[in-house]
Amino acid sequence: MILFADFHTHTIYSHGRGTVRENVYSAVKKGLKAVGISEHGPNNIGVGTNIRDFEKIKKEIEELKKEIKGIDILFGCEANVISLEGDLDIPEELLNEMDYVMVGLHPQIWGKSLKDTYHLLIENYIAKKLPSRLTKVMEQNTRALINAIERYKVDIITHPGLHMPIDTKILAKKAAEKGTALEINAGHNHTTVNYIKIAKEQGVKFAIGSDAHEPDRVGDLKQAIKLAQKAGLTKEDIINAL
Ligand SMILES: [Zn+2]
Ligand SMILES: [Zn+2]
């Protein structure tokens, strides 16, 4: 299986180590035909990307497009879901300027309100210590993601289930309906064959992303490809497969 794109890369605009330029050059070196810059939304505590910086990223990409041929350089994001109602931390006008939109749940975010911070940050933390709370938290997390894909045009949900439990079957069913792909994340090693199989049964598509936080790791997708194949996926199931 050959992947032509890596949609999930971070830069120094959040907590990545490389610049936009370095990520793109690394993608060229790996032979990718497309690479996306997908910075965190601003609500990640301590590492979020300033909304104003997204305009700078867009400009840098425009400049690089003139300089580098043979690769599509895409302006994207990894927005945070910041309420159970599915609010995102990047304004819709900015999302509309992007080539694609990814959203994810992260455990260390500021919610839209104190109540949302409680549901998304504190309750997830509590559920790790008190398994009896897991069902409620899983239901809430899943609902937050589903509301986000109902309200916004979302291309990919990043690392479903990482640090924050979700109901794969329910999420995958809704994602299939909305044309949103679920990510198989090559960076965190949390994805299981079982998760992929359950999701595939719902008819959802997948995207394999490196979640690179340093240029060398851009396009580093081998392990995730192996996992996808082990779960029985073919190139038709994966939006960035040739
Ligand atoms: Zn993430
Ligand atoms: Zn990421």
Side-chain angles (χ1 to χ4, degrees):
M1 191 184 300
I2 298 167
L3 301 185
F4 68 92
D6 186 355
F7 297 123
H8 195 164
T9 80
H10 296 283
T11 71
I12 48 173
Y13 282 109
S14 64
H15 55 155
R17 296 230 187 95
T19 60
V20 173
R21 168 185 294 270
E22 285 167 333
N23 278 15
V24 172
Y25 270 96
S26 178
V28 170
K29 215 167 85 185
K30 304 268 173 62
L32 292 179
K33 295 291 168 229
V35 62
I37 304 299
S38 59
E39 278 305 11
H40 290 292
N43 283 41
N44 281 86
I45 296 171
V47 301
T49 302
N50 218 304
I51 287 296
R52 285 186 307 276
D53 283 343
F54 279 99
E55 293 297 340
K56 291 189 202 162
I57 294 169
K58 190 182 173 192
K59 274 213 182 84
E60 278 190 47
I61 290 174
E62 293 309 322
E63 288 305 309
L64 285 166
K65 278 181 176 173
K66 292 178 204 157
E67 180 185 318
I68 309 167
K69 302 292 168 200
I71 187 163
D72 252 333
I73 311 167
L74 304 172
F75 175 44
C77 67
E78 185 181 13
N80 291 294
V81 181
I82 55 169
S83 76
L84 298 190
E85 289 72 42
D87 287 273
L88 299 182
D89 61 348
I90 298 179
E92 204 154 11
E93 312 84 73
L94 182 53
L95 294 176
N96 290 337
E97 289 179 35
M98 293 179 177
D99 296 311
Y100 66 103
V101 172
M102 307 199 301
V103 307
L105 284 176
H106 293 97
Q108 283 164 352
I109 56 132
W110 300 116
K112 189 182 178 193
S113 66
L114 268 178
K115 188 183 81 181
D116 294 310
T117 305
Y118 176 72
H119 288 317
L120 292 168
L121 190 158
I122 317 267
E123 278 196 304
N124 271 276
Y125 181 76
I126 294 171
K128 283 196 192 1
K129 312 280 167 195
L130 294 175
S132 60
R133 304 289 291 271
L134 198 65
T135 310
K136 176 180 187 267
V137 168
M138 188 186 292
E139 187 277 319
Q140 287 179 170
N141 292 345
T142 308
R143 177 150 45 98
L145 280 172
I146 286 176
N147 285 335
I149 64 175
E150 292 269 12
R151 286 178 56 185
Y152 301 86
K153 170 80 192 76
V154 176
D155 298 285
I156 299 167
I157 296 174
T158 58
H159 47 62
L162 175 68
H163 304 310
M164 296 173 73
I166 48 107
D167 187 315
T168 302
K169 192 171 172 185
I170 293 173
L171 180 67
K173 186 164 185 278
K174 182 55 77 175
E177 248 174 71
K178 301 301 288 182
T180 303
L182 299 187
E183 185 182 55
I184 298 172
N185 189 291
H188 287 289
N189 240 330
H190 77 292
T191 307
T192 63
V193 167
N194 200 33
Y195 150 82
I196 299 172
K197 282 185 174 166
I198 292 170
K200 182 181 153 73
E201 276 168 17
Q202 310 308 312
V204 77
K205 300 272 184 215
F206 297 85
I208 297 183
S210 70
D211 207 353
H213 284 72
E214 45 199 300
D216 273 355
R217 281 219 53 253
V218 173
D220 188 355
L221 305 164
K222 279 199 199 80
Q223 284 306 109
I225 294 173
K226 265 192 205 158
L227 194 72
Q229 285 173 325
K230 209 168 154 193
L233 298 190
T234 62
K235 59 185 195 304
E236 281 75 30
D237 298 308
I238 298 165
I239 63 170
N240 54 331
L242 272 181

